[in-house]
């Protein structure tokens, strides 16, 4: 069985856990560096990327996760988790933490505030079984992707919303809220 860690400092950890349970993963909530031992794949949840970043720095998890990502562990970041995987964050805090796992620039809250949250159906390349229900909540807008980044889904306006580079996959929306496990299964090799 694959052991999957969820970064559990803040954010919608329980929703990811439900999806991973449904895929038969052995789920570990990651709160300190030692929790990463033996983990085969990692989820960075939605929440507040600034808060998650500060808590990672104070627990030493930032360095431990950076090392795991550099070692090639499959990782899925959703919403705030997407921001944590980006190489460039626009409208972030000056000390905003991100791992540069995917060569892309993201703008925090780029679709607008909470009232501008929305849902839509999206075709995701490589997923069978029809479109994915995508829930966007104060989501980041991907403003630039590098040449090595594969864009697996876009909005009807052409904005990338699922991006993959090497072992890292990032989603602007929250697949964990729609009860659809396909993106997790693809991104984490489950
Ligand atoms: N707006 C949040 C941030 O910048 C992300 C929102 C979310 O994860 N739903 O971190």
């Amino acid at each position: 069985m694959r052991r999957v860690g969820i970064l559990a400092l803040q954010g919608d950890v329980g929703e990811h856990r439900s999806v991973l349970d449904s895929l038969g993963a052995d789920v570990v909530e990651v709160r300190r560096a030692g929790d990463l031992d033996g983990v085969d794949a990692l989820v960075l949840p939605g929440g507040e990327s600034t808060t998650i970043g500060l808590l990672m720095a104070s627990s030493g998890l930032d360095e431990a996760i950076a090392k795991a990502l550099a070692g090639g562990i499959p990782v899925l970041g959703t919403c705030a988790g997407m921001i944590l995987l980006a190489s460039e964050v626009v409208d972030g805090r000056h000390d905003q933490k991100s791992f540069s796992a995917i060569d892309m620039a993201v703008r925090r809250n780029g679709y607008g505030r909470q009232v501008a949250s929305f849902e839509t159906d999206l075709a995701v390349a490589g997923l069978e079984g029809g479109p994915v229900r995508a829930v966007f909540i104060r989501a980041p807008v991907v403003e630039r992707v590098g040449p090595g980044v594969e864009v697996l889904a876009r909005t009807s306006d052409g904005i990338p919303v699922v991006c993959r580079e090497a072992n890292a996959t990032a989603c602007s929306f929250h697949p964990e809220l729609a009860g659809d496990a396909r993106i997790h299964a693809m991104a984490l090799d489950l």
Side-chain angles (χ1 to χ4, degrees), residues 99-118:
F99 290 111
S100 292
I102 301 179
D103 178 15
M104 63 180 176
V106 301
R107 181 179 295 275
R108 288 188 67 210
N109 301 319
Y111 291 96
R113 307 301 307 173
Q114 188 83 17
V115 288
S117 297
F118 63 101

Side-chain angles (χ1 to χ4, degrees), residues 70-87:
I73 193 176
V75 61
L76 171 65
T78 66
C79 203
M82 169 186 251
I83 296 169
L84 293 174
L85 291 174
S87 54

Side-chain angles (χ1 to χ4, degrees), residues 46-49 79-80 83 108-109 137-138 174:
E48 279 301 328
S49 56
C79 203
I83 296 169
R108 288 188 67 210
N109 301 319
I137 303 169
R138 293 185 304 116
H174 289 275

Side-chain angles (χ1 to χ4, degrees), residues 72-153:
I73 193 176
V75 61
L76 171 65
T78 66
C79 203
M82 169 186 251
I83 296 169
L84 293 174
L85 291 174
S87 54
E88 189 186 337
V89 181
V90 183
D91 282 352
R93 273 173 60 113
H94 66 284
D95 57 350
Q96 179 108 24
K97 173 74 196 167
S98 66
F99 290 111
S100 292
I102 301 179
D103 178 15
M104 63 180 176
V106 301
R107 181 179 295 275
R108 288 188 67 210
N109 301 319
Y111 291 96
R113 307 301 307 173
Q114 188 83 17
V115 288
S117 297
F118 63 101
E119 291 187 34
T120 186
D121 288 324
L122 290 174
V124 178
L127 289 192
E128 290 177 6
V132 165
R133 188 74 182 158
V135 182
F136 291 78
I137 303 169
R138 293 185 304 116
V141 168
V142 176
E143 296 194 332
R144 177 191 66 78
V145 294
V149 176
E150 218 182 327
V151 175
L152 303 181

